[in-house]
Amino acid sequence: MQTERPLRLVIAEDAVLLREGMVQLLQRFGHEVLAAVGDGDALLAAVREHRPELVVADVRMPPDFTDEGLRAVRTLHTEQPGLAVLVLSQYVEQTFAEELMDQGGQRAGMGYLLKERVGDVGEFMDAVARVARGITVVDPEVVSQLLARRRGPLERLTPREREVLALMAEGHSNTAIARRLVVTEAAVAKHIAGILLKLDLPADNPEVNRRVVAVLTYLRGEDA
């Protein structure tokens, strides 16, 4: 999937092959990669110099391979609140997943994907497009873990409603959900209404990002 227009991006990833692969992929889809760097300090410098629209960053980078990328993202969000960020991780990082949920209601898009998703070109480019549009995007594996951890009202959902709920939490629109499940948008809207009712979530705001944040907050185990 391509965004409506070319994007200006900065990439931060210490693995050279993955970094160069993302550069070539994004350029092939018409985007402009302003800089491709390998550590958190270089990411800060590149973003401050180029003022990109979107950053794709690894969580763990040199020198300590702990949370350098995440710390750089926190700093950048303080300096540039409107900056969209898509973070990549080798594993599910619970701390970042929770921070994403906390920040998901802000104006800028936020995304969290496992690195394995980069190998699926369509899925990766779809995430780039949605984050650039200001949508919160969460990796399906994170959503799966959250679904498995919660009980209670979730048990009242039908199997189809659980499928729709997972796709909602990943940031998909009604149109995209209908396409993936091969059903009508009217059917999706009906499922979503039932889900929101059963989970006691607000149903008066159809805007995608607020709906995603409400669902993620519920799955996290807090009041939506």
Side-chain angles (χ1 to χ4, degrees), residues 122-204:
E123 191 166 358
F124 176 63
M125 295 309 301
D126 180 65
V128 167
R130 287 186 285 139
V131 171
R133 293 199 300 270
I135 296 173
T136 298
V137 176
V138 181
D139 192 277
E141 180 59 31
V142 176
V143 175
S144 177
Q145 289 191 20
L146 291 171
L147 280 169
R149 195 173 65 188
R150 286 286 268 159
R151 292 292 184 268
L154 281 178
E155 296 175 350
R156 298 202 298 265
L157 301 183
T158 67
R160 177 62 89 184
E161 286 173 339
R162 289 176 66 90
E163 286 183 282
V164 172
L165 176 67
L167 292 170
M168 287 169 63
E170 291 166 27
H172 294 288
S173 66
N174 287 20
T175 301
I177 294 173
R179 186 167 54 247
R180 286 183 175 232
L181 299 181
V182 195
V183 297
T184 66
E185 288 188 48
V188 171
K190 183 176 179 180
H191 286 311
I192 290 174
I195 291 167
L196 297 177
L197 179 64
K198 291 177 182 179
L199 301 186
D200 195 28
L201 293 173
D204 58 349

Side-chain angles (χ1 to χ4, degrees), residues 53-175:
E53 299 165 87
L54 186 145
V55 166
V56 179
D58 188 6
V59 170
R60 300 182 180 186
M61 291 188 289
D64 299 323
F65 294 95
T66 54
D67 64 345
E68 289 79 7
L70 181 55
R71 284 188 277 118
V73 167
R74 291 192 189 108
T75 299
L76 291 172
H77 268 151
T78 299
E79 297 177 355
Q80 302 181 40
L83 179 65
V85 177
L86 175 58
V87 174
L88 304 177
S89 178
Q90 189 71 38
Y91 310 102
V92 174
E93 304 274 354
Q94 189 65 34
T95 299
F96 180 73
E98 293 180 357
E99 184 168 327
L100 177 69
M101 295 171 205
D102 290 338
Q103 297 184 10
Q106 66 182 16
R107 180 169 58 85
M110 289 282 289
Y112 175 36
L113 290 183
L114 296 182
K115 287 186 177 181
E116 64 189 62
R117 307 296 172 200
V118 179
D120 186 322
V121 174
E123 191 166 358
F124 176 63
M125 295 309 301
D126 180 65
V128 167
R130 287 186 285 139
V131 171
R133 293 199 300 270
I135 296 173
T136 298
V137 176
V138 181
D139 192 277
E141 180 59 31
V142 176
V143 175
S144 177
Q145 289 191 20
L146 291 171
L147 280 169
R149 195 173 65 188
R150 286 286 268 159
R151 292 292 184 268
L154 281 178
E155 296 175 350
R156 298 202 298 265
L157 301 183
T158 67
R160 177 62 89 184
E161 286 173 339
R162 289 176 66 90
E163 286 183 282
V164 172
L165 176 67
L167 292 170
M168 287 169 63
E170 291 166 27
H172 294 288
S173 66
N174 287 20
T175 301

